[in-house]
Amino acid sequence: MSDVTGRLAKVSRLAEKLPEGERPTRLRDPRRLAFFTAYFRRYFKRHMNALRVPLWGEPQIADEPRPLVFYTNHPAWWDAATYMIVGDHYFRARQSYAPIDAEMLAAYGFMKRIGAYGVDLETPKGAAAFLAASADILAHDDAAIWVAAQGRFVDVRERPVGLRPGIARLPELAPHALFVPVAIEYSFWEQRGAEAFIAFGTPETGESLLALPREARRAALDERLGHLLDRLSADVRSRDPARFHAILDGKAGVGGIYEAWKRLLAAIKGERFEAAHGKRPQPRRVG
């Protein structure tokens, strides 16, 4: 038996330690997930201006039968909605999950039905439950886990990024999985609503990460995510929409008296009213 095959068998045994009623793959309800994804899309469009991906930051993941682990920074409350919208946009055929604080999950039990599962790495029992639940998910080749690997809200400029040790344990559960760094940032440009940005880095297999000792593995993942955040931030600071694809547009404009005045002036001049503040971005010529 190869080392990878042996590890997969160990993952299956670990997942089997969870009672059927506690397994994330049994609790997830696609219909409820579809409802909340649609809700968050509408909510995002009401309160944000756009969700943008840099031209270099599209997912570089072949459509192959292996689980995915997206490890991300954790800058804001909006991250959960961003996961759902981006997951539905790029990875609709996959079964997406996300670990969240165990106390929060206990308070909002419905979240178990949309792919959330508990994480409490402060106690041995909590850590064991997290690993068993992750094993249940990673045993499925069409699964994807979105991990806010800092474990708390952190400014995007903080270095090192400060990934929690749990992310370094997941390659031990899933050497066959692809591990993908994902950078997230939010910023205000010209509109009333903020801009959300997300960028995907280069994937690598869990098997390649296992060549490093656990702490060195965590440090390597931390460094890769930090470089990705720096690259994304450079594009965000440019305020150049032509550097990005907008995968979701919200409601442009600044609202209130200023927007009403713009609308009146456009009517007086016989011009088309544009809600967006500032100049409309022009598409960048390629070639």
Side-chain angles (χ1 to χ4, degrees):
M1 180 182 293
S2 69
D3 185 56
V4 173
T5 302
R7 287 182 181 276
L8 290 175
K10 182 179 179 180
V11 169
S12 296
R13 291 194 298 271
L14 181 59
E16 289 170 359
K17 292 183 179 181
L18 281 178
E20 285 288 322
E22 296 179 16
R23 292 192 181 189
T25 57
R26 304 294 192 271
L27 292 169
R28 183 181 181 276
D29 182 351
R31 292 173 298 179
R32 296 192 197 187
L33 178 61
F35 171 82
F36 279 100
T37 299
Y39 169 81
F40 276 119
R41 283 177 63 89
R42 291 193 299 271
Y43 190 85
F44 183 99
K45 293 176 74 171
R46 285 201 305 270
H47 297 283
M48 302 283 277
N49 184 57
L51 175 55
R52 304 182 189 275
V53 180
L55 302 182
W56 52 265
E58 298 278 349
Q60 305 171 36
I61 302 164
D63 187 15
E64 54 185 317
R66 63 170 72 200
L68 305 176
V69 177
F70 299 107
Y71 59 99
T72 84
N73 60 311
H74 194 18
W77 174 90
W78 281 98
D79 296 345
T82 300
Y83 291 163
M84 295 180 75
I85 295 168
V86 173
D88 184 64
H89 182 83
Y90 286 115
F91 309 105
R92 186 171 295 178
R94 289 189 174 269
Q95 312 299 308
S96 287
Y97 300 85
I100 68 169
D101 180 76
E103 291 186 3
M104 180 181 294
L105 188 63
Y108 301 98
F110 76 92
M111 297 182 74
K112 297 178 182 179
R113 298 297 183 178
I114 61 174
Y117 64 104
V119 54
D120 172 17
L121 300 181
E122 303 302 325
T123 65
K125 182 179 179 180
F130 165 70
L131 292 175
S134 298
D136 175 53
I137 296 166
L138 294 171
H140 295 77
D141 288 337
D142 64 344
I145 298 180
W146 297 78
V147 184
Q150 292 171 302
R152 60 188 177 90
F153 293 130
V154 180
D155 190 277
V156 297
R157 293 160 291 194
E158 186 165 317
R159 299 292 182 275
V161 175
L163 301 186
R164 297 295 300 275
I167 188 63
R169 297 289 302 274
L170 293 184
E172 299 167 18
L173 297 179
H176 62 305
L178 284 178
F179 287 75
V180 187
V182 179
I184 300 174
E185 185 169 343
Y186 306 94
S187 181
F188 284 94
W189 280 1
E190 294 190 353
Q191 307 307 321
R192 173 176 58 87
E195 315 284 333
F197 306 91
I198 189 166
F200 293 83
T202 303
E204 56 192 320
T205 65
E207 189 173 14
S208 66
L209 289 167
L210 288 175
L212 297 171
R214 190 178 292 167
E215 179 54 30
R217 191 186 311 149
R218 185 203 60 77
L221 294 171
D222 193 293
E223 184 178 14
R224 286 162 195 164
L225 182 53
H227 288 324
L228 189 66
L229 280 163
D230 291 342
R231 188 177 183 186
L232 175 61
S233 290
D235 279 354
V236 173
R237 289 195 301 271
S238 76
R239 293 175 169 254
D240 181 2
R243 294 191 182 193
F244 300 87
H245 294 303
I247 65 174
L248 186 65
D249 286 311
K251 183 179 180 181
V254 295
I257 295 175
Y258 180 78
E259 188 165 306
W261 176 248
K262 283 180 63 181
R263 189 182 296 273
L264 177 61
L265 286 180
I268 293 172
K269 296 177 180 179
E271 298 175 348
R272 179 181 176 182
F273 170 69
E274 291 284 356
H277 182 60
K279 296 180 180 180
R280 179 180 294 274
Q282 298 299 314
R284 171 169 291 182
R285 295 181 64 87
V286 179

